[in-house]
Amino acid sequence: MSINKDIVMQNVQRFGGAMFTPVILFSFFGIMVSLSIIFKNPDIVGSIATKGTFWYNVWYVIEQGSWTVFAQMPLLFAISLPIGLAKKNQARACMESFVIYVVFNYFVSGILTLAGPSFGVDYSLKAGGGTGLAMIANIKTLDIGMLGAILISAITVWLHNRLFDVDLPDYLGIFKGSSLVVAAGFFFMLPVAYFFCLVWPSVQHTIGTFQEFLKASDALGVWMYTFCERILIPTGLHHFIYTPFIFGPAIVDGGIQQYWLQHLQDFATSAQSLKEMFPGAGFSLHGSSKIFGVPGIALAIYATAKPAKKKAVAGLLIPATITAVICGITEPLEFTFLFIAPVLFAVHAVLAATLAATFFLFGVVGSFGGGLIDAIVQNWIPLFKYHSTTYIMQIVVGLCFTAIYFFVFRYLIVKNDYKTPGRTEDDAEDKLYSKAEYKAKIAMEGMINVDERDIKAAVFLGALGGKENIKDVTNCATRLRVTVVDDSLIKGVSTFTKAGAHGLVKNGHAVQVIVGLSVPQVRERFEALLQDTSDAETASGTDKSTTLKAFISGKVIPITKVKDEMFSQKMMGDGIAVYPETEIVTAPADGEITMVMDGSGHAVGMRLSSGVEILIHIGIDTVKMEGRGFNVFVKQGQKVKAGETLVKFDKKLIEKEGYSSIVILAVTNSSEYPLMKLYSGMTAKADETVIATF
């Protein structure tokens, strides 16, 4: 069987992007742990931080909460990866992943309880470092860390994508959806658990050997690691380099960042060299170029710009440089020169690796994977008292590298006449623009009141070949990651950059649009356009994928004003209600009938083609009428079109018998649609008035 390299690359990039989903939380929690340790240190804040004081106790409690993501890292990865990997119903996939991951650990626990010695595991030991055991969700199990969580999550997503929509016979209906996925996962985990019990102890031994090799490789190992991490950024595969080091077992159990924070108090009260106390933290110097290298690059680009363009170039570089230095997000700046002169990016990777290795040789180690905020809070402030010489040396050496970056980049730009920003020709590119591109240009200039993210989504979709050319889409920190059907339909980089992108990465059918920090919002609008059945050219006004039209004519009110707590408290989901002027209920969109209330006919359930699930409920307490006055025109499993008649009812009879005839629409899975917009207060006309967008 041949292996399609395009498909492999698409899946690898998608997986790498998904791994960023939980990683985004680590910076905040790392800063909070660091601040807690700082404010509990009497050497920094004085006697108020003495153990037992109110100040100390407050920060002690805050610190315990701040350890959340580090203490529960495997669970976090198991739960959050489906957000980026599952193709639909991501929220349910997250629940499925959690349950299956816990089942896996219970199976491992059971196997080791009965036969631990047979697998080379002493299960009687207390879980902790060096034992090969860990506590996961209060289960003593093998210490597989985030790698095991990622694997189980990936298996869950594979099962979810294949089984979630399987249509079972009615008598097995209770096992549809998540129940079927979890049931399959339950039995799948038996051999997986046995496999891990069989092989993981040997893997742990191999990891230990690898750790010793990396530690012994000294500065060369730091150089190689940092170079690989930087050079792979254009491919989006750098997540696979740093994640096992920073958050996984490559250097220490639990990852470098967790170990660093756990021992920060020890480092803060010892004058011993940081490098001697924890040499493995040298592999967390890969972010040093964000603080010291990026300003040199920006200065070189500015210095080589034409005098008439320097002001405009400064406007481009300053925010990108500040973002890189403070937050550690370097891609917006790096992609301003990557496609113009890829050799500059290679030089950047070499210099970044050399900077990290030089720091290590000077005794600098620590948590420097992010930007200036991480450097200050997790290193300089808590440790400066006993390690001031190390950090002063770091700043001096770092500024020297800023100068090196500047002169090297300036020399290469001028010598090779690279057309970096500010060095392009004065005349603009002549081309015909699509209507969407024109709108994008106008919007970027602030001439019309249009959400810039709506425009970007529309232009990117068109430039990627349109809806029919998109297989799937996800995102990481700054990139919109898309798999296309035909890569020849993708337009040139300039089309994307004119709409506000920082660049484009193409790997066959796997494409990455470098958007910036607004990428989650752009992705939502991009997906809205993918699922929208209208011919709209932008996502403006359609923050999600579905439009619902009035299912009956009448006065529309919010569901919270319905005089029934089940609906007004949104127990059935968010929605709206209509005081009916007519007596025919129609389908608000295309979909499938999932439920008809037998006997009474007063309620109908639908699953729309986009995945939205709704319940239409006619009247309050009308179930007591036992079907009198109701005529149902559909049955369970039937496919219906928008506007098709679902139920006719006798409004006068309902009211004559003392019941309210209000008709309620509840979106029963509304929690999956945070951008859902419901419209009320108007008099709606059936099949015409829009009552909800997603």
Side-chain angles (χ1 to χ4, degrees):
M1 182 178 68
S2 62
I3 297 176
N4 188 312
K5 290 189 292 185
D6 271 353
I7 292 177
V8 171
M9 180 59 70
Q10 293 160 23
N11 291 332
V12 168
Q13 289 189 349
R14 183 177 179 86
F15 196 82
M19 287 209 302
F20 184 79
T21 306
V23 170
I24 59 176
L25 302 178
F26 285 103
S27 292
F28 169 75
F29 281 92
I31 289 171
M32 291 309 301
V33 169
S34 303
L35 289 175
S36 301
I37 293 172
I38 290 171
F39 290 131
K40 284 168 50 192
N41 190 335
D43 291 337
I44 297 176
V45 298
S47 60
I48 61 170
T50 302
K51 189 173 183 179
T53 62
F54 177 75
W55 175 272
Y56 177 93
N57 292 340
V58 167
W59 284 103
Y60 173 82
V61 172
I62 292 174
E63 182 185 356
Q64 302 316 300
S66 301
W67 282 110
T68 300
V69 298
F70 302 107
Q72 305 296 336
M73 193 182 302
L75 273 178
L76 179 63
F77 272 88
I79 293 171
S80 57
L81 254 65
I83 297 173
L85 290 176
K87 294 179 179 178
K88 60 177 68 176
N89 298 97
Q90 289 90 343
R92 299 192 183 192
C94 292
M95 178 195 70
E96 297 157 8
S97 183
F98 168 75
V99 174
I100 292 173
Y101 179 61
V102 172
V103 166
F104 163 79
N105 283 295
Y106 271 120
F107 282 159
V108 170
S109 174
I111 293 171
L112 295 181
T113 298
L114 296 174
S118 300
F119 300 100
V121 177
D122 185 354
Y123 193 67
S124 65
L125 295 174
K126 184 178 180 180
T131 67
L133 300 170
M135 295 299 294
I136 304 293
N138 207 32
I139 309 165
K140 187 162 73 168
T141 182
L142 282 174
D143 186 8
I144 306 173
M146 67 160 195
L147 297 180
I150 289 171
L151 176 63
I152 303 306
S153 184
I155 292 173
T156 301
V157 170
W158 179 75
L159 292 171
H160 173 88
N161 289 339
R162 282 156 181 77
L163 301 178
F164 186 82
D165 287 332
V166 170
D167 192 17
L168 298 176
D170 290 346
Y171 61 88
L172 294 176
I174 193 172
F175 294 110
K176 287 183 180 180
S178 292
S179 295
L180 181 60
V181 175
V182 171
F186 181 92
F187 292 105
F188 201 98
M189 286 303 106
L190 279 168
V192 172
Y194 179 81
F195 174 78
F196 268 94
C197 289
L198 192 64
V199 305
W200 192 253
S202 298
V203 173
Q204 287 176 324
H205 176 73
T206 303
I207 290 174
T209 303
F210 181 60
Q211 290 171 350
E212 293 304 317
F213 166 75
L214 288 174
K215 294 172 185 176
S217 62
D218 205 62
L220 177 61
V222 172
W223 192 97
M224 293 175 61
Y225 162 79
T226 306
F227 176 79
C228 291
E229 190 274 336
R230 284 288 95 185
I231 201 68
L232 286 176
I233 280 182
T235 69
L237 302 181
H238 56 298
H239 299 295
F240 292 98
I241 298 296
Y242 74 76
T243 303
F245 284 78
I246 306 305
F247 307 117
I251 297 297
V252 290
D253 293 341
I256 293 173
Q257 184 172 28
Q258 180 176 343
Y259 185 95
W260 180 262
L261 293 172
Q262 287 175 338
H263 295 81
L264 193 58
Q265 185 66 44
D266 299 331
F267 301 149
T269 55
S270 173
Q272 185 181 358
S273 166
L274 291 170
K275 183 178 177 181
E276 293 175 0
M277 288 189 283
F278 184 29
F283 291 93
S284 191
L285 292 169
H286 62 273
S288 301
S289 62
K290 302 173 183 179
I291 300 173
F292 298 106
V294 166
I297 296 172
L299 286 171
I301 294 175
Y302 176 80
T304 56
K306 296 177 180 179
K309 293 189 174 184
K310 284 186 180 292
K311 185 176 180 180
V313 170
L316 171 69
L317 294 176
I318 289 174
T321 304
I322 291 174
T323 299
V325 172
I326 294 179
C327 303
I329 303 296
T330 59
E331 291 174 340
L333 177 61
E334 289 168 340
F335 278 87
T336 60
F337 65 81
L338 175 62
F339 295 100
I340 298 168
V343 68
L344 292 180
F345 195 87
V347 171
H348 171 41
V350 170
L351 290 176
T354 305
L355 171 60
T358 304
F359 277 160
F360 187 76
L361 290 172
F362 276 95
V364 179
V365 298
S367 183
F368 291 100
L372 196 60
I373 294 176
D374 284 351
I376 291 173
V377 177
Q378 298 186 35
N379 302 273
W380 294 346
I381 292 179
L383 306 183
F384 195 81
K385 179 177 181 180
Y386 288 101
H387 305 283
S388 57
T389 302
T390 300
Y391 290 138
I392 291 172
M393 180 63 68
Q394 179 189 20
I395 294 171
V396 171
V397 172
L399 291 176
C400 289
F401 265 84
T402 301
I404 291 172
Y405 261 95
F406 171 76
F407 287 113
V408 169
F409 268 70
R410 185 180 184 280
Y411 170 78
L412 291 174
I413 291 171
V414 173
K415 181 178 185 297
N416 298 293
D417 193 25
Y418 291 134
K419 299 301 182 183
T420 50
R423 293 176 57 79
T424 53
E425 300 299 326
D426 294 334
D427 54 326
E429 177 187 7
D430 293 322
K431 67 185 294 291
L432 295 176
Y433 293 91
S434 68
K435 187 175 181 181
E437 285 177 284
Y438 172 76
K439 288 182 178 180
K441 180 176 183 296
I442 299 300
M444 298 307 166
E445 294 171 353
M447 295 173 64
I448 59 175
N449 185 23
V450 178
D451 190 322
E452 180 180 318
R453 296 165 299 185
D454 290 332
I455 296 295
K456 286 181 178 179
V459 176
F460 297 161
L461 179 57
L464 290 167
K467 287 190 280 189
E468 299 301 320
N469 200 38
I470 307 299
K471 289 184 67 176
D472 61 42
V473 59
T474 184
N475 70 275
C476 65
T478 56
R479 308 169 187 222
L480 189 69
R481 295 167 176 258
V482 183
T483 302
V484 298
V485 177
D486 183 354
D487 59 335
S488 67
L489 299 179
I490 301 172
K491 294 186 179 180
V493 176
S494 63
T495 302
F496 294 88
T497 56
K498 287 179 185 296
H502 298 286
L504 186 74
V505 177
K506 290 177 62 178
N507 256 308
H509 296 276
V511 184
Q512 300 174 33
V513 184
I514 314 304
V515 178
L517 296 176
S518 64
V519 67
Q521 293 76 34
V522 172
R523 174 190 170 183
E524 289 178 341
R525 288 155 172 79
F526 189 91
E527 289 178 324
L529 287 173
L530 285 179
Q531 299 179 46
D532 188 11
T533 57
S534 70
D535 294 326
E537 291 183 292
T538 74
S540 181
T542 58
D543 291 336
K544 280 283 184 177
S545 61
T546 304
T547 296
L548 300 186
K549 293 187 177 179
F551 47 92
I552 196 167
S553 299
K555 177 70 174 179
V556 184
I557 65 169
I559 200 170
T560 53
K561 293 186 178 181
V562 174
K563 295 179 180 179
D564 183 292
E565 286 192 358
M566 182 178 69
F567 292 108
S568 63
Q569 300 298 318
K570 301 182 182 179
M571 297 179 189
M572 298 298 294
D574 205 353
I576 55 96
V578 179
Y579 288 117
E581 295 178 351
T582 57
E583 298 180 329
I584 298 177
V585 174
T586 59
D590 295 349
E592 178 183 350
I593 303 301
T594 56
M595 183 275 294
V596 175
M597 189 60 68
D598 292 335
S600 65
H602 75 289
V604 175
M606 285 185 64
R607 181 184 295 114
L608 308 186
S609 55
S610 62
V612 175
E613 297 176 359
I614 63 172
L615 171 70
I616 299 178
H617 193 282
I618 304 169
I620 296 175
D621 291 332
T622 47
V623 65
K624 298 176 182 178
M625 295 181 65
E626 299 180 339
R628 288 180 291 107
F630 292 90
N631 189 7
V632 181
F633 288 80
V634 292
K635 60 182 179 180
Q636 185 175 339
Q638 181 179 336
K639 299 289 178 64
V640 295
K641 294 290 186 180
E644 190 171 336
T645 299
L646 304 180
V647 181
K648 287 185 178 180
F649 63 95
D650 190 331
K651 180 174 178 288
K652 291 182 179 179
L653 179 61
I654 291 173
E655 294 174 351
K656 180 180 179 181
E657 297 203 7
Y659 302 111
S660 169
S661 61
I662 192 169
V663 185
I664 306 151
L665 182 147
V667 181
T668 56
N669 60 344
S670 58
S671 61
E672 298 179 18
Y673 299 91
L675 295 184
M676 177 177 69
K677 291 183 179 179
L678 299 167
Y679 305 98
S680 59
M682 69 288 193
T683 298
K685 187 173 181 180
D687 309 325
E688 293 185 13
T689 307
V690 174
I691 58 170
T693 57
F694 296 75

